[in-house]
Amino acid sequence: MEESTIYIIAELRKGSITQEAYELVSFARAIGKGKSPVFLLLGKNIQEQAAEMARKTGCDTIALSGEHLDHYNTLSYAQALAEILREKAAAWVCLPHTSMGYDLAPRLAVLLQAACITGVQSCVDGSLSRAAYSGKFVEEIVPTTPRVVVTVLPGAFQPCEETTGPTGKVKSKDVASTELPSQTLGTQESVHRDSALKDAEVIVSGGRGLGNKENISLVKKLAAVFPRSAIGASRSACDLGWFERKHQLGTTGQTVSPKLYIACGISGAFQHVSGIRGSQTIVAINTDIHAPIFQVAHYGIVEDLTLFIPILIEELSSN
Amino acid sequence: MKILVCIKQVADSSDTVQIDVRTGHLFYAANTAFRVNRFDEFALEEALLIKEKLAGTSVDALSVGPERVSATLQRAMGMGADHGIHILDRADGYRSPFTIASLIATRVAVSKYDLILTGVMAEDTMASQTGQLIAALLDLPCATSVIQEEIRPERAEILVQREIEGGSRETVQLKMPAVLTIQPGINSPRYPSFSKVMRARTYAQELIKAEDLATEEPRELCRRVRVPEATSQGVLIEGSAREKARKLISILHEKALLS
């Protein structure tokens, strides 16, 4: 059987290579037992970025260029990638588990007759581990096809170190555009931004575990005890209408890095955690000891919020 | 306009989901309550909103699973779906998104839907694959994480906004038929009245046996399910609630996080 080649599909955001591309190098080395992966980069005028990747990682890089690849689009990206990857009888194709990665991976898998495994966190002797039930369980998945498409959770692997060795080879390929039933017209910046979150030293945030809308006052009162504080929220608490959208933290919200982050009733799905990982000290208060937030918290408190927060406020005030 | 909404039945709480130590797979305890995957409720609501806006629109709800799944379809019909399609799949253990998607795609290929909607992911398996796989298997365009949509029936087109990192939005134009996976927050799913759900009990559901549908071979297997290793470097603060509060405050003092 042909030896597997490992490909990484790097993502560009505002013209720069995202951190996840370097994390995927570490993942690729783990599954490939040290063997170097090959980068695939798509876009318009991407020679500079391709050269940067090859230099920083020492990995060979293929730049697929085309006017129509400027914005991400499922069909145009899948078509360009499948053309190259189809030639390989065996291959691992690795993407970040981002809005691009999970959008593209299943399409690519069907085109390549490959297994598709998403949200991977780690790999142990031939199996890929992924979380289920918000992190309460871990599934160990084993692909049974020679070609495999994987998305890896952002932050699950450390980014690779910059190499001092030889730079990777850069190959360029122009991709012609064809008429497709889907077209990406453009991207708009978020309108929901709370600048207070960026500058806050302390962020107190609430999630679905608050139980009801009335309990958000607990989050507000706790935040009010700290000077230079701001209020954050999980996506599901915003979806429920408990908090305004501008308070949302995580993948589809803001990314913050305060000195102190206090998560109240937040389960800690990776989408939330990826937005708060940079906090210096994370305190989690939750009734469920199995909540994944306790995996990232520096200090965990298993208590009922409605009882505990008033006591904490009282103690803080008398301090 | 014909719309299909794919909905998944999930356990109401993970507390009643356990690992069978013999097989290494998950099972539901006898007292498990089931409900509709929250993400799919947003998809169903969006379909019903389109139906209210565009005259002549019908909404079918489809679900894959054992007998109990018919209660989920009943609720969907109580919310306002016109027709329920139950792909009866009694198989135990791991069912990959690919297997489920290929069952759905085989059934859907015979009906002509203009739009297929589903939630961005399932709360239990969190794979974010089924909608995209259905689209790919049927060779239809697809947009994921859709937070806004606008149908242009005269041009057989749909314009959507996808929510991407940092809350930014990507605008995509798709030719119909198309598949959309719906992001929560796009709408506020309605609560069907008790009487509507009860009435929906009398509505017929189309029942298809999974084994009667030609599907593709699975491409991966689940070796086992386990609980995560405790990788936390963190400290669990012990004591009574007041002791915990005091210990936390003294830690925050030490770290100069309190002024």
Side-chain angles (χ1 to χ4, degrees):
Chain A
M1 204 168 92
E2 184 185 355
E3 199 183 348
S4 279
T5 312
I6 305 173
Y7 291 93
I8 294 173
I9 305 186
E11 188 171 3
L12 292 171
R13 205 166 293 140
K14 290 182 194 150
S16 306
I17 302 148
T18 63
Q19 153 107 350
E20 288 93 51
Y22 301 101
E23 295 173 7
L24 284 169
V25 176
S26 303
F27 169 76
R29 288 189 180 142
I31 53 168
K33 300 188 174 68
K35 204 173 151 231
S36 241
V38 176
F39 274 113
L40 290 165
L41 191 64
L42 302 95
K44 182 179 101 173
N45 305 329
I46 47 168
Q47 301 315 317
E48 214 175 285
Q49 291 94 330
E52 181 187 336
M53 301 225 63
R55 187 183 70 244
K56 283 190 177 168
T57 63
C59 300
D60 291 351
T61 302
I62 304 172
L64 301 171
S65 323
E67 194 76 29
H68 65 298
L69 299 176
D70 193 19
H71 289 294
Y72 166 71
N73 177 273
T74 323
L75 299 180
S76 62
Y77 273 45
Q79 197 177 55
L81 289 165
E83 207 167 299
I84 288 203
L85 297 167
R86 250 189 219 116
E87 296 165 11
K88 289 278 165 188
W92 284 81
V93 183
C94 313
L95 300 101
H97 192 76
T98 57
S99 64
M100 176 196 86
Y102 66 70
D103 186 88
L104 183 57
R107 176 75 55 167
L108 209 47
V110 168
L111 290 174
L112 298 172
Q113 293 171 305
C116 185
I117 304 166
T118 46
V120 170
Q121 293 174 315
S122 63
C123 54
V124 207
D125 46 284
S127 85
L128 301 167
S129 298
R130 60 179 307 283
Y133 288 92
S134 303
K136 185 177 176 180
F137 299 112
V138 174
E139 295 176 341
E140 292 182 358
I141 309 288
V142 182
T144 52
T145 45
R147 287 192 283 223
V148 188
V149 178
V150 200
T151 69
V152 178
L153 285 190
F157 286 80
Q158 288 296 319
C160 65
E161 305 234 337
E162 256 186 62
T163 179
T164 48
T167 174
K169 287 195 283 289
V170 178
K171 249 200 290 188
S172 293
K173 195 180 163 221
D174 287 329
V175 182
S177 104
T178 53
E179 177 117 11
L180 293 166
S182 150
Q183 216 188 333
T184 304
L185 304 179
T187 313
Q188 263 173 273
E189 291 286 313
S190 169
V191 288
H192 305 289
R193 292 250 155 212
D194 183 359
S195 54
L197 280 166
K198 266 250 160 324
D199 304 326
E201 290 186 355
V202 179
I203 294 175
V204 182
S205 69
R208 186 182 273 273
L210 286 170
N212 60 53
K213 194 169 182 169
E214 285 62 54
N215 288 338
I216 69 165
S217 65
L218 293 171
V219 171
K220 290 183 178 163
K221 281 181 197 153
L222 181 55
V225 178
F226 298 92
R228 304 201 58 185
S229 65
I231 292 165
S234 72
R235 162 145 210 141
S236 55
C238 291
D239 289 341
L240 286 164
W242 295 353
F243 294 91
E244 283 178 66
R245 197 57 76 180
K246 66 176 186 183
H247 294 294
Q248 189 184 313
L249 302 176
T251 315
T252 51
Q254 292 191 66
T255 300
V256 292
S257 44
K259 285 187 179 161
L260 175 61
Y261 183 78
I262 307 179
C264 308
I266 289 180
S267 68
F270 91 91
Q271 290 93 337
H272 184 77
V273 169
S274 65
I276 60 136
R277 206 182 286 278
S279 310
Q280 278 175 35
T281 299
I282 299 173
V283 176
I285 310 167
N286 204 306
T287 44
D288 179 9
I289 193 166
H290 300 294
I293 191 76
F294 288 125
Q295 296 287 321
V296 291
H298 301 96
Y299 301 99
I301 291 165
V302 182
E303 278 290 341
D304 180 342
L305 291 159
T306 54
L307 301 172
F308 183 74
I309 295 180
I311 295 173
L312 182 60
I313 293 172
E314 203 183 295
E315 290 290 330
L316 279 164
S317 310
S318 68
N319 217 269
Chain B
M1 179 109 138
K2 275 183 74 181
I3 306 178
L4 177 75
V5 185
C6 302
I7 56 181
K8 183 176 186 179
Q9 188 183 56
V10 296
D12 184 40
S13 155
S14 61
D15 294 347
T16 58
V17 183
Q18 287 152 24
I19 297 171
D20 182 335
V21 285
R22 285 174 307 116
T23 62
H25 287 287
L26 293 177
F27 75 97
Y28 300 109
N31 62 340
T32 304
F34 293 92
R35 59 170 169 80
V36 182
N37 169 37
R38 284 201 185 94
F39 295 98
D40 296 337
E41 282 184 348
F42 292 96
L44 181 54
E45 178 63 31
E46 199 61 20
L48 297 173
L49 292 173
I50 295 170
K51 184 184 160 179
E52 285 163 8
K53 220 163 29 183
L54 287 178
T57 299
S58 67
V59 175
D60 290 0
L62 179 151
S63 194
V64 182
E67 276 76 2
R68 59 176 158 78
V69 162
S70 83
T72 288
L73 290 170
Q74 193 188 307
R75 187 183 163 86
M77 288 193 276
M79 275 175 80
D82 299 288
H83 182 59
I85 304 169
H86 181 180
I87 299 180
L88 181 64
D89 178 27
R90 292 198 184 101
D92 286 329
Y94 178 78
R95 296 297 257 165
S96 73
F98 182 72
T99 300
I100 300 299
S102 86
L103 282 171
I104 297 173
T106 308
R107 167 61 187 79
V108 167
V110 297
S111 314
K112 284 231 177 309
Y113 289 103
D114 300 291
L115 210 50
I116 299 173
L117 307 184
T118 190
V120 71
M121 65 167 135
E123 288 171 75
D124 51 4
T125 47
M126 313 195 301
S128 293
Q129 286 194 33
T130 310
Q132 298 92 299
L133 285 172
I134 294 168
L137 289 166
L138 295 171
D139 199 18
L140 299 177
C142 174
T144 51
S145 308
V146 171
I147 193 75
Q148 200 183 307
E149 53 78 17
E150 183 196 330
I151 298 175
R152 296 165 171 176
E154 70 291 349
R155 297 164 68 176
E157 258 175 28
I158 183 161
L159 196 66
V160 305
Q161 294 209 333
R162 300 182 62 214
E163 195 170 33
I164 59 170
E165 280 66 24
S168 297
R169 291 176 175 203
E170 201 169 74
T171 308
V172 187
Q173 183 181 290
L174 306 147
K175 287 241 180 293
M176 292 198 287
V179 179
L180 309 181
T181 80
I182 302 294
Q183 186 85 338
I186 187 173
N187 54 39
S188 307
R190 65 195 71 187
Y191 282 97
S193 69
F194 183 69
S195 65
K196 279 186 177 163
V197 177
M198 289 313 283
R199 210 177 313 141
R201 279 193 150 182
T202 61
Y203 302 161
Q205 292 180 12
E206 179 186 333
L207 191 76
I208 309 151
K209 287 187 181 146
E211 52 270 31
D212 293 342
L213 294 170
T215 54
E216 299 195 47
E217 282 293 300
R219 292 174 180 176
E220 77 261 21
L221 50 92
C222 179
R223 191 160 68 183
R224 62 169 182 147
V225 179
R226 57 175 172 83
V227 291
E229 301 113 13
T231 50
S232 172
Q233 308 291 310
V235 178
L236 218 50
I237 299 176
E238 309 278 359
S240 70
R242 194 162 296 276
E243 283 163 1
K244 285 175 186 163
R246 286 181 180 159
K247 282 183 192 168
L248 177 63
I249 290 167
S250 84
I251 290 164
L252 297 181
H253 262 300
E254 268 170 47
K255 296 189 153 266
L257 290 167
L258 291 176
S259 40

